[in-house]
């Protein structure tokens, strides 16, 4: 009786990982398209509301909510002063150099470069938009703040910095909790600018929208010009 020929066993692990990566890329592409269209549409809508219709409804409502909070709970001012620092130039300049340096030292050179590009491009884009729209800051500001108002630099750069870190946390280890916390922290920083009256609410929302648009464009560029490779022990990383 002839011995049956048993075909060599094919490892299912690489196939499973490849399928997982394909699903991730598809989900990321869909999410990126939705985020880009939504954020770009929101930014465009706000420019019409502010510069064409000259509506103050949303801005007045936002200021009123923050004024009510400040009057009811005066202790929130100290919290706001603390939180707003983490969206300032004094924080972002060293953080945008130190964090990529630490990532590079730990072997995540691509992540370091991505964060640097996110912040560098965010700064340039924010300054160009401010120069183009040239909106003055509110005259009711509680503290002095130089520069123009639309879109908010605190909000936009917070989205670029913390939003990029949130994406890297999900990409590297599916740390969804950390990613959500980072985004929430960025949103809080934006609210501090309304609380202090140094930005109109529309400035802050536009800043978040502009930062989200830039992050999607940056991520798209990385996908187009860099290869994806599966590495043992990780879900997916980007090749150098």
């Amino acid at each position: 009786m002839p011995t049956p020929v048993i075909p060599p066993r094919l490892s299912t692990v690489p196939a499973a990982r490849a399928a997982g990566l394909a699903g991730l890329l598809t989900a990321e592409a869909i999410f990126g398209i939705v985020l880009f269209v939504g954020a770009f549409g929101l930014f465009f809508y706000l420019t019409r509301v502010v510069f064409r219709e000259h509506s103050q409804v949303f801005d007045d409502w936002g200021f009123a909510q923050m004024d009510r909070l400040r009057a009811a709970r005066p202790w929130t001012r100290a919290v706001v002063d603390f939180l707003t620092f983490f969206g300032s130039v004094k924080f972002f300049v060293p953080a945008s150099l130190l964090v990529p340096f630490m990532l590079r030292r730990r072997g995540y050179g691509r992540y370091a470069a991505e964060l640097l590009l996110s912040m560098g491009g965010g700064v340039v884009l924010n300054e160009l938009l401010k120069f183009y729209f040239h909106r003055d800051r509110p005259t009711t500001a509680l503290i002095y703040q130089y520069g123009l108002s639309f879109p908010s630099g605190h909000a936009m750069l917070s989205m670029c910095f913390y939003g990029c870190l949130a994406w890297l946390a999900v990409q590297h280890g599916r740390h969804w909790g950390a990613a959500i916390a980072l985004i929430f922290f960025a949103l809080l920083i934006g609210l501090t600018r309304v609380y202090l009256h140094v930005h109109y609410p529309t400035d802050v929302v536009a800043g978040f929208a502009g930062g989200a648009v830039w992050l999607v464009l940056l991520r798209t560029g990385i996908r187009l010009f860099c290869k994806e490779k599966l590495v043992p022990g990780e879900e997916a990383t980007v090749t150098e």
Side-chain angles (χ1 to χ4, degrees):
M1 182 177 180
T3 303
V5 178
I6 301 177
R9 182 181 179 183
L10 298 177
S11 175
T12 60
V13 175
R17 288 184 176 177
L21 177 59
L24 175 64
L25 296 179
T26 301
E28 180 187 342
I30 294 174
F31 176 76
I33 292 172
V34 172
L35 179 60
F36 179 84
V37 172
F40 186 85
L42 178 59
F43 188 91
F44 179 75
Y45 171 74
L46 289 171
T47 61
R48 290 180 59 86
V49 168
V50 174
F51 300 103
R52 180 169 296 186
E53 300 175 7
H54 303 287
S55 173
Q56 294 285 330
V57 175
F58 179 67
D59 289 334
D60 291 342
W61 176 84
F63 279 147
Q65 302 309 307
M66 292 295 106
D67 292 345
R68 188 176 295 114
L69 173 64
R70 187 171 60 254
R73 296 175 175 82
W75 56 266
T76 56
R77 174 61 189 270
V79 177
V80 165
D81 289 339
F82 173 75
L83 289 176
T84 201
F85 169 76
F86 294 97
S88 66
V89 173
K90 291 181 179 179
F91 172 77
F92 279 139
V93 169
S96 297
L97 298 175
L98 181 60
V99 175
F101 174 76
M102 293 172 62
L103 288 171
R104 181 68 181 179
R105 286 287 300 271
R106 297 189 62 180
Y108 302 115
R110 180 66 64 181
Y111 292 171
E114 190 169 340
L115 185 58
L116 283 172
L117 288 172
S118 177
M119 291 303 292
V123 169
V124 173
L125 180 59
N126 183 255
E127 290 299 320
L128 289 175
L129 290 172
K130 283 189 173 186
F131 178 79
Y132 178 80
F133 291 108
H134 213 272
R135 187 187 196 186
D136 292 329
R137 290 182 181 271
T139 57
T140 55
L142 301 182
I143 60 174
Y144 172 75
Q145 194 77 61
Y146 65 89
L148 298 170
S149 195
F150 187 95
S152 166
H154 269 64
M156 190 166 179
L157 294 182
S158 291
M159 184 59 67
C160 290
F161 186 79
Y162 301 110
C164 185
L165 288 178
W167 161 248
L168 296 180
V170 172
Q171 182 186 26
H172 179 66
R174 306 294 183 270
H175 300 300
W176 292 99
I180 293 173
L182 286 165
I183 296 298
F184 181 72
F185 189 67
L187 296 177
L188 285 179
I189 291 173
L191 289 177
T192 66
R193 310 311 284 171
V194 181
Y195 183 104
L196 295 170
H197 281 234
V198 292
H199 277 296
Y200 295 99
T202 45
D203 299 336
V204 172
V205 178
F208 286 136
V213 168
W214 168 238
L215 283 178
V216 173
L217 290 176
L218 175 62
R219 193 63 203 161
T220 301
I222 290 174
R223 287 295 192 209
L224 290 175
F225 295 105
C226 301
K227 295 179 180 180
E228 295 292 333
K229 183 178 71 173
L230 291 169
V231 177
E234 295 184 8
E235 294 291 334
T237 60
V238 185
T239 58
E240 293 290 349

